[in-house]
Amino acid sequence: MTRRAFCGSMAGTVGLATLPVRAAGPQTLTARVATAQIAPPQYAATEVWTYDGAVPGPVLRVPQGGRVSRRLVNELPVPTSIHWHGIRIDNAMDGVAGLTQEAVPPGGTFDYDFAVPDAGTYWYHAHSNSFEQVARGLSGALIVEEADAPEVDRDEVLVLDDWLLNPEDAQFMTPFGHPMSLSHGGRTGNLLGTNGTYDLASGVKANERLRLRLINASNARIFVLRLAGLEGWTVALDGMPLPEPQPVEAELILAPAQRIDLIVDVTAEEGETAALLRFDDDDQWQPQARFPVAGQASATRRDTPAALPPNPRMEVPGIDSARRLDMVMEGGAMGRMSGAMMNGRNMGFREMAGQGQFWALSGQVGMTDTPFASLDRGETVRLRLTNDTAFPHAMHLHGMHFRQVAGDGTLGPMRDTILSYPDELLEIAFVADNPGKWLFHCHMLGHAASGMTTWINVS
Ligand SMILES: [Cu+2]
């Protein structure tokens, strides 16, 4: 079923390009309960929460500079909303329940309609009780296509995920916000897979050139990946093109919510199986997606690909005179935090924990009425992040991309989510050029729900 859904979504992509524009009625994206065979066939199907009945949801493809127009129809038993991750979006369309919109009640609708300024690999996911709703399946790929796309034989979207299932009945383990996972590394699954199945296989030809769009849709898993029988280059991170393709020579690290675009050639021979491998919990390399090779696309490999065309507004000028901000990540199990501000008063860690909260950003647990920072539109900001916890965190800024500032002042690639390791000092810089209320939070979704969420205001 899941493989068919995958192939179906590819076929749907081809179909969309040739369909006439509909005269009336908005295109919908319906959040609803469904079942999916994500576990091996000897297990039952899993009850999932979906967009349009599929896990992951349909691949949405739109040309750069075009618009995404979708009416969210909520047929779930709970309120929900959609965040369009990585899109430098109109703030009112950012989908953060309680900050940029009210959650859409069961039976309700919300019309998302926004421009997409940047080409690249993005994704959409629920942003109401995300730690539960995303874990139940509410995510999908959003691909913004370059007007001048690189020459590849195939463009494959690979949504990497994990699911925490009860082995007895293949249903999700509850509660989603277990204190043990909230206070440690977050909810990680016991079944891993790609595009909604534990064993994705996609046939390829020798010397075929593939664009692989990797998306980590998991709640908390940091994927460590390697190529086998595939050789190529990283061409974009979090949607944003690299100035030059970078040969894939080492392991690829894909933190929750991050994306990597690869252009790879199939170097495995006919009859072999190429693969994207992951370093598994039992310290083994396992296939995350398999590519059995049949036939030959060409006798030889092609030349190194050109860089993807740059997106607009990728520069971060004026970092020497930038406004400087400091943020300390604190809390969690094995942490040093004794307490923090919560609901307007200072609270000890034990009392916080009693209310299901375990983390703080600069001494503050979760959201406040006033933003962490109020920024002037257009100014450049440097934000220093200190990870004073025992865990890695994937920190995500809504509405704007940033670059890491290295110790020598050079700027790293443009990203919207960055992995911070314990006891590591990290600095990011960005131009606050998008007005509105923007969330900044850990994308280990259980961490976000238990204290690691704040916001900035740009006006
Ligand atoms: Cu975290």
Side-chain angles (χ1 to χ4, degrees), residues 151-156 202-212 229-233 263-268 274 291-302:
E151 203 185 300
V152 296
D153 296 314
R154 286 173 43 192
D155 184 318
E156 296 252 8
S202 180
V204 296
K205 296 175 179 159
N207 287 326
E208 199 170 19
R209 175 158 283 186
L210 317 173
R211 178 173 185 170
L212 301 180
L230 302 168
E231 284 181 35
W233 302 263
I263 291 180
V264 299
D265 297 328
V266 177
T267 53
F291 303 97
V293 185
Q296 206 173 43
S298 65
T300 55
R301 283 186 65 182
R302 301 189 209 181

Side-chain angles (χ1 to χ4, degrees), residues 122-343:
Y122 304 94
W123 65 302
Y124 60 98
H125 62 80
H127 219 302
S128 306
N129 269 339
S130 331
F131 68 97
E132 174 179 355
Q133 296 195 4
V134 176
R136 287 188 185 272
L138 288 170
S139 66
L142 171 56
I143 306 302
V144 183
E145 293 176 328
E146 299 89 3
D148 191 9
E151 203 185 300
V152 296
D153 296 314
R154 286 173 43 192
D155 184 318
E156 296 252 8
V157 176
L158 301 176
V159 180
L160 282 57
D161 207 343
D162 65 358
W163 304 278
L164 183 57
L165 302 182
N166 182 340
E168 297 297 316
D169 60 5
Q171 303 308 305
F172 288 117
M173 298 276 276
T174 56
F176 286 85
H178 194 289
M180 182 60 92
S181 68
L182 295 182
S183 61
H184 289 71
R187 181 184 172 98
T188 50
N190 51 6
L191 178 70
L192 289 82
T194 303
N195 295 348
T197 179
Y198 74 100
D199 183 26
L200 181 75
S202 180
V204 296
K205 296 175 179 159
N207 287 326
E208 199 170 19
R209 175 158 283 186
L210 317 173
R211 178 173 185 170
L212 301 180
R213 300 174 182 266
L214 313 183
I215 301 171
N216 184 348
S218 76
N219 272 42
R221 179 175 297 273
I222 301 165
F223 281 92
V224 179
L225 303 164
R226 180 191 279 181
L227 302 177
L230 302 168
E231 284 181 35
W233 302 263
T234 299
V235 293
L237 295 172
D238 294 351
M240 294 294 177
L242 298 181
E244 294 295 332
Q246 297 291 318
V248 179
E249 285 159 348
E251 291 155 9
L252 299 166
I253 308 293
L254 192 66
Q258 289 185 328
R259 287 89 63 211
I260 300 176
D261 278 48
L262 302 174
I263 291 180
V264 299
D265 297 328
V266 177
T267 53
E269 294 176 5
E270 289 192 66
E272 296 180 339
T273 296
L276 176 69
L277 302 175
R278 67 163 183 265
F279 197 64
D280 226 337
D281 297 340
D282 55 4
D283 291 355
Q284 304 282 329
W285 289 97
Q286 298 283 355
Q288 177 69 25
R290 297 185 297 117
F291 303 97
V293 185
Q296 206 173 43
S298 65
T300 55
R301 283 186 65 182
R302 301 189 209 181
D303 294 338
T304 302
L308 296 176
N311 281 325
R313 296 184 287 123
M314 287 187 68
E315 302 78 25
V316 183
I319 63 160
D320 291 336
S321 54
R323 182 196 296 228
R324 289 172 186 256
L325 299 171
D326 256 303
M327 184 180 288
V328 182
M329 293 169 249
E330 306 163 278
M334 298 168 283
R336 289 175 279 261
M337 188 173 75
S338 57
M341 287 296 289
M342 182 168 145
N343 300 329

Side-chain angles (χ1 to χ4, degrees), residues 392-393 442 444 447 452:
H393 303 285
C442 180
M444 275 74 170
H447 292 175
M452 294 195 85

Side-chain angles (χ1 to χ4, degrees), residues 1 15 20 29 37 39 77 90 94 188 246 259 269 295 306 339 365 382 403:
M1 180 228 164
L29 201 55
Q37 189 65 45
D90 173 1
D94 200 40
T188 50
Q246 297 291 318
R259 287 89 63 211
E269 294 176 5
V365 181
R382 291 171 72 152
R403 292 177 184 272

Side-chain angles (χ1 to χ4, degrees), residues 332-377:
M334 298 168 283
R336 289 175 279 261
M337 188 173 75
S338 57
M341 287 296 289
M342 182 168 145
N343 300 329
R345 70 182 180 87
N346 210 341
M347 217 179 261
F349 186 75
R350 192 170 295 230
E351 190 182 358
M352 276 175 58
Q355 298 188 31
Q357 300 292 303
F358 300 95
W359 308 90
L361 295 173
S362 290
Q364 176 64 49
V365 181
M367 292 291 279
T368 44
D369 291 341
T370 53
F372 171 76
S374 293
L375 307 176
D376 296 331
R377 186 175 179 180

